[in-house]
């Protein structure tokens, strides 16, 4: 269980370097490739009367559309449709990647969910929050945007400021915590299963149960992340707030 | 950290592995960049190759459904109009038919009366002409008989004259003949 990360540091100057977790980089690219392939293959034979995979893709689109519409009107929220679909699919696939197995070479953990890395989830969360502020200013104007920090009362300003950071932190860490904890427990069960014959017998039932539950959690977390994205977005861009 | 203050160093090692970014030395700037680039690139590619076309076709379908509904509504209105027109036409036709039937009956009645009247008149005329003919024939027959009587009388007279009979016989004969002729008349 004491895996290390395969790290690589690109030293640009003597004092400044970019550190890459090669495992995270690889898994991110694999996730993106899988999502792209699913979406690409599903939308090759588009027809007015949808069949097979097109139905599935349209269901996802309608599902995300439902999420957006439950937070803001479609005229405002339509522009976030593509962001929402990409988010939900990318996070769902990322969450599921670490479930079937984990690969560790020389103590370095290579195969895992990219979302089991807090850097990835916090980056996504920060990106979402930056986007909400960007669209808040773009669509409602700077004065209205600034005003939201002082409403309903002026003394709320510190709380509002904390809220923004808390939102970012909880959005990223909720996803990371769920997936990382799932993988840690899966790893523990796998270790138990590999220890002895008796251990294998004892581990197979909880192993299957936890994997099933992790699949459920993977989808739920993807849904929650997308939902919260739209909630935060609606707070900033909707006129009725 | 004062490790000696805590009992059991293994516990500390285990806890240490569960903190954020276990095994990593702080935040990796490279990972942040890779995550951002990967996600944004994926979004851009999907928009171009998958979501764009899919949204297009969904939009197209929406428009198709809307236009079909509109068309159906239009057709429904049109057929309702046609139905109303047809009903009006049928009513008009029925009224016309009744009128025509009525006038035909009236005409037939009038014609019947006319024909009966004409037949009666003809019958009366025929009867009258027949009576006239009969009367004329009768007159003619009587005339013929008279002529016959005269010729018979002459014949009788000549016979008497040829037979040399007595005055008495003669007169008796004439009287008889005249009487006969008178009876015939």
């Amino acid at each position: 269980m004491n895996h290390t990360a395969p790290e690589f540091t690109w030293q640009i100057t003597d004092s400044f370097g970019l550190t890459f977790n090669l495992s995270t980089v690889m898994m991110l690219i694999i996730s993106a490739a899988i999502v792209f392939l699913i979406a690409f293959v599903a939308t090759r034979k588009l027809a007015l009367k949808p069949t097979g995979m097109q139905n599935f893709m349209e269901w996802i689109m309608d599902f995300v559309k439902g999420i957006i519409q439950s937070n803001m009107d479609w005229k405002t929220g339509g522009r976030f449709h593509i962001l929402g679909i990409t988010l939900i699919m990318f996070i769902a696939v990322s969450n599921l990647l670490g479930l079937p197995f984990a690969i560790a070479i020389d103590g370095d953990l290579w195969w895992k969910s990219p979302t089991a890395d807090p850097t990835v989830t916090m980056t996504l969360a920060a990106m979402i929050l930056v986007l909400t502020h960007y669209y808040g200013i773009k669509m409602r104007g700077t004065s209205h945007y600034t005003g939201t920090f002082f409403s309903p009362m002026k003394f709320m300003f510190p709380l509002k400021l904390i809220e923004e950071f808390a939102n970012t932190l909880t959005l990223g860490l909720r996803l990371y915590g769920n997936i990382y904890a799932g993988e840690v427990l899966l790893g523990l069960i796998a270790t138990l299963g590999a220890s002895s014959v008796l251990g294998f017998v004892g581990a197979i039932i909880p192993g299957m149960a936890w994997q099933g539950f992790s699949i459920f959690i993977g989808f739920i977390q993807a849904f929650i992340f997308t939902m919260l994205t739209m909630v935060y977005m609606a707070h900033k861009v909707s006129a009725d707030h | 950290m004062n490790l000696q203050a805590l009992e059991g160093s293994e516990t500390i090692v285990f806890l240490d592995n569960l903190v954020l970014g276990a095994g990593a030395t702080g935040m990796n700037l490279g990972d942040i960049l890779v995550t951002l680039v990967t996600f944004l690139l994926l979004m851009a590619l999907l928009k171009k190759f998958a979501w764009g076309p899919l949204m297009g076709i969904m939009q197209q379908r929406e428009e198709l459904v809307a236009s079909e509904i509109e068309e159906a509504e239009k057709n429904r209105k049109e057929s309702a109009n046609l139905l109303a027109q047809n009903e009006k036409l049928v009513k008009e036709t029925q009224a016309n038919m009744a009128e025509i039937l009525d006038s035909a009956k009236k005409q037939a009645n009038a014609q019947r009366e006319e024909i009966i009247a004409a037949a009666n008149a003809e019958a009366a005329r025929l009867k009258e002409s027949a009576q006239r003919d009969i009367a004329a024939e009768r007159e003619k027959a009587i005339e013929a008989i008279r002529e016959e009587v005269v010729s018979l009388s002459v014949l009788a007279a000549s016979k008497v004259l040829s037979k040399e009979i007595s005055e008495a016989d003669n007169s008796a004969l004439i009287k008889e003949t005249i009487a006969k002729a008178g009876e015939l008349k």
Side-chain angles (χ1 to χ4, degrees):
Chain A
M1 284 306 296
N2 298 332
H3 295 306
T4 52
E7 288 192 334
F8 167 78
T9 305
W10 178 21
Q11 210 67 39
I12 296 170
T13 63
D14 287 340
S15 57
F16 178 74
L18 289 179
T19 308
F20 296 91
N21 182 342
L22 292 181
S23 153
T24 304
V25 172
M26 182 186 80
M27 294 313 294
L28 276 172
I29 291 169
I30 290 174
S31 283
I34 290 174
V35 171
F36 181 76
L37 278 181
I38 291 174
F40 187 75
V41 169
T43 52
R44 275 321 83 196
K45 272 189 280 175
L46 289 176
L48 278 178
K49 232 167 108 185
T51 51
M53 285 294 279
Q54 193 190 339
N55 270 324
F56 175 64
M57 280 293 132
E58 288 191 4
W59 174 75
I60 293 178
M61 291 192 99
D62 283 338
F63 184 72
V64 175
K65 193 175 181 178
I67 294 176
I68 294 174
Q69 276 173 333
S70 65
N71 287 301
M72 48 195 142
D73 60 292
W74 186 245
K75 223 178 119 196
T76 331
R79 71 193 67 200
F80 308 124
H81 200 189
I82 285 177
L83 172 72
I85 309 162
T86 314
L87 262 181
I88 202 168
M89 280 196 72
F90 182 68
I91 294 174
V93 169
S94 296
N95 292 348
L96 298 183
L97 273 185
L99 293 185
F101 46 77
I103 299 174
I105 300 168
D106 294 334
D108 283 346
L109 182 63
W110 280 94
W111 187 280
K112 55 164 193 166
S113 287
T115 39
D117 185 334
T119 314
V120 173
T121 59
M122 286 308 296
T123 306
L124 287 176
M127 180 190 78
I128 295 305
L129 264 290
V130 168
L131 277 179
T132 63
H133 288 272
Y134 170 73
Y135 278 106
I137 294 172
K138 190 187 170 196
M139 293 171 71
R140 307 280 299 139
T142 316
S143 56
H144 180 271
Y145 168 79
T146 320
T148 56
F149 284 97
F150 298 100
S151 74
M153 300 287 176
K154 277 202 168 137
F155 68 85
M156 299 281 274
F157 176 65
L159 288 178
K160 287 278 185 176
L161 214 55
I162 293 168
E163 187 193 1
E164 295 301 324
F165 288 102
N167 280 348
T168 320
L169 210 61
T170 53
L171 185 62
L173 292 188
R174 177 186 302 107
L175 177 59
Y176 159 70
N178 271 283
I179 305 310
Y180 182 66
E183 290 201 353
V184 167
L185 191 53
L186 261 185
L188 285 174
I189 293 169
T191 316
L192 172 66
S195 60
S196 65
V197 177
L198 209 66
F200 183 79
V201 173
I204 190 157
I205 297 290
M208 287 200 303
W210 189 250
Q211 274 196 329
F213 190 57
S214 289
I215 291 172
F216 175 67
I217 285 179
F219 284 122
I220 284 290
Q221 287 305 320
F223 166 69
I224 289 174
F225 196 97
T226 313
M227 180 60 126
L228 286 176
T229 297
M230 295 311 160
V231 169
Y232 298 155
M233 201 65 95
H235 272 303
K236 293 274 183 268
V237 302
S238 277
D240 49 282
H241 278 285
Chain B
M1 206 192 280
N2 188 4
L3 296 181
Q4 283 162 335
L6 295 164
E7 285 182 50
S9 56
E10 282 175 29
T11 319
I12 297 164
V13 170
F14 181 63
L15 281 175
D16 197 36
N17 278 327
L18 283 182
V19 299
L20 289 190
T25 53
M27 288 298 242
N28 295 348
L29 210 59
D31 288 351
I32 293 173
L33 285 178
V34 170
T35 308
L36 272 178
V37 168
T38 310
F39 185 79
L40 293 177
L41 193 69
L42 175 69
M43 196 155 79
L45 283 176
L46 284 179
K47 186 180 180 182
K48 178 145 181 24
F49 290 107
W51 307 146
L54 192 61
M55 277 170 172
I57 205 113
M58 284 170 91
Q59 181 77 28
Q60 224 173 308
R61 182 183 314 136
E62 237 164 67
E63 277 161 17
L64 183 76
V65 168
S67 76
E68 292 282 306
I69 288 173
E70 219 164 85
E71 185 104 334
E73 188 67 19
K74 218 176 78 189
N75 282 350
R76 201 185 59 79
K77 267 185 194 154
E78 214 166 276
S79 58
N81 269 354
L82 277 179
L83 195 70
Q85 267 177 18
N86 276 0
E87 254 165 30
K88 214 174 110 192
L89 212 67
V90 166
K91 257 179 207 162
E92 263 172 28
T93 313
Q94 269 173 345
N96 270 355
M97 215 169 66
E99 207 174 289
I100 287 168
L101 212 65
D102 209 36
S103 82
K105 254 184 208 164
K106 263 183 205 160
Q107 208 177 340
N109 268 348
Q111 223 158 6
R112 197 183 63 175
E113 295 292 318
E114 206 174 291
I115 287 167
I116 288 171
N120 277 349
E122 179 74 7
R125 200 181 55 77
L126 278 176
K127 196 175 152 194
E128 206 178 309
S129 92
Q131 271 171 348
R132 234 184 289 131
D133 279 1
I134 289 167
E137 287 296 319
R138 189 161 156 250
E139 286 297 313
K140 237 190 245 172
I142 287 170
E143 199 64 33
I145 286 164
R146 264 197 195 132
E147 269 169 30
E148 195 70 18
V149 167
V150 171
S151 69
L152 273 175
S153 300
V154 172
L155 194 65
S158 65
K159 267 182 183 171
V160 167
L161 284 176
S162 64
K163 235 174 164 185
E164 283 183 328
I165 52 169
S166 66
E167 192 80 19
D169 287 343
N170 204 7
S171 103
L173 251 167
I174 288 166
K175 276 181 187 165
E176 194 184 343
T177 313
I178 286 168
K180 277 182 185 169
E183 270 167 32
L184 275 170
K185 195 179 179 179

